[in-house]
Amino acid sequence: MPTESTAAEYEAWRESRWEEIAGPQGKAGVVQLATISGSNQTVEGVPGHWNTNGSGGLAFTAAGADGVSLDGRPVDGTVALEVGSELKFPGERSGIISGGGGTHGLVVRAPAAAPLAGLREIAVYPVDPDYIVEAEYRRTPGRVVEVGRLTDPPSRQILPAPADLVFDLKGERYSLTVIESLPGQLLVVFTDATSGSETPEIGRWVVLPSAEEGTVRVDFNRVVLPLHAFSPAFPCPLAPEGNHLPVPVRAGERTPVYNASNGANDS
């Protein structure tokens, strides 16, 4: 059994994870992600036009009839946007600007989005200290792998694979490929014997801190579900070839649980 301090830390982690997914800025409320990198660009389902400029700025143009506001003021013409600017769109949707340097991101959220509105909890397995392992982080400089992306239609992408994670679990030795899905984001995307039955078929994630060659502590009790499990807007990576554990990993997040009226998986 976990110690009292470990149990408290685990519950604090679960609370922060729930806030990340279902809080006021929760990712389950994201309905669209778009990249803005051109001039006179439109985004499907969103009013107005977008323009980047040579200095890396971003401008947005809309008519008053489009019903868009910025910082509480209606937009009727062209306004300059910064990273963190929030636009309000009709239908209680909002858009947050990210990125910079000539390429910006637009994250569109809707508080009434079906996944967010119906999400009741994130089911987890009981905490099991046997799933806390000391793993060897073996760097593989310059290596890349091809992985699938959960886009519509599905796509594939070449990603850096800077290391292998080698560890013993339940008396057997395993090796999983670490990928850098976004700059600075180290992930181990894996499937196991629970995938497609007790847990999503698309696998789960071990999120790693920045690591150098050596030993890293891996707590599978903090394995998380891909963001795609909460919103199809996220083009999450699938597990690289070989990242399958032939044993059930009954630790960490298991599945989203929705209200029965939501019509989603309630297992």
Side-chain angles (χ1 to χ4, degrees):
M1 293 293 293
T3 65
E4 183 176 345
S5 60
T6 301
E9 291 169 359
Y10 179 72
E11 287 307 313
W13 170 76
R14 285 201 66 195
E15 290 175 6
S16 67
R17 175 68 174 163
W18 178 254
E19 182 73 10
E20 175 192 359
I21 298 300
Q25 298 299 319
K27 292 181 171 65
V30 173
V31 294
Q32 188 174 1
L33 298 172
T35 299
I36 303 166
S37 58
S39 56
N40 204 32
Q41 183 176 337
T42 60
V43 175
E44 184 178 356
V46 175
H49 293 76
W50 310 79
N51 288 278
T52 59
N53 58 45
S55 61
L58 178 65
F60 172 71
T61 303
D66 289 327
V68 182
S69 65
L70 173 65
D71 297 330
R73 299 186 298 274
V75 175
D76 189 5
T78 299
V79 293
L81 301 176
E82 301 176 347
V83 173
S85 292
E86 182 175 6
L87 294 161
K88 298 290 187 181
F89 302 122
E92 298 186 359
R93 294 177 302 156
S94 63
I96 299 289
I97 303 301
S98 63
T103 300
H104 292 79
L106 174 66
V107 180
V108 181
R109 299 187 72 261
L116 178 58
L119 185 62
R120 189 171 78 235
E121 65 172 309
I122 304 171
V124 297
Y125 289 103
V127 176
D128 185 343
D130 288 343
Y131 284 105
I132 303 175
V133 301
E134 297 295 325
E136 185 181 351
Y137 187 87
R138 296 180 180 174
R139 295 185 66 245
T140 54
R143 186 180 64 175
V144 296
V145 296
E146 184 178 42
V147 299
R149 281 275 188 187
L150 290 165
T151 55
D152 185 16
S155 60
R156 300 191 68 80
Q157 184 181 15
I158 303 295
L159 291 175
D164 288 324
L165 205 60
V166 181
F167 56 93
D168 293 326
L169 183 65
K170 303 289 187 177
E172 297 292 335
R173 173 149 291 200
Y174 300 104
S175 177
L176 297 174
T177 300
V178 179
I179 62 172
E180 191 171 7
S181 60
L182 294 170
Q185 183 185 57
L186 298 178
L187 290 181
V188 178
V189 184
F190 73 96
T191 56
D192 65 273
T194 71
S195 302
S197 54
E198 300 174 27
T199 62
E201 185 177 7
I202 58 177
R204 293 180 291 163
W205 294 355
V206 174
V207 181
L208 292 174
S210 298
E212 297 295 334
E213 195 151 14
T215 301
V216 59
R217 184 174 184 266
V218 177
D219 186 353
F220 283 93
N221 295 292
R222 299 196 185 196
V223 161
V224 298
L225 298 172
L227 297 178
H228 192 89
F230 302 100
S231 169
F234 289 98
C236 293
L238 294 169
E241 184 177 357
N243 269 26
H244 177 74
L245 298 175
V247 294
V249 179
R250 293 191 171 97
E253 293 184 348
R254 186 170 65 84
T255 186
V257 179
Y258 294 94
N259 296 320
S261 60
N262 185 256
N265 178 25
D266 194 31
S267 60

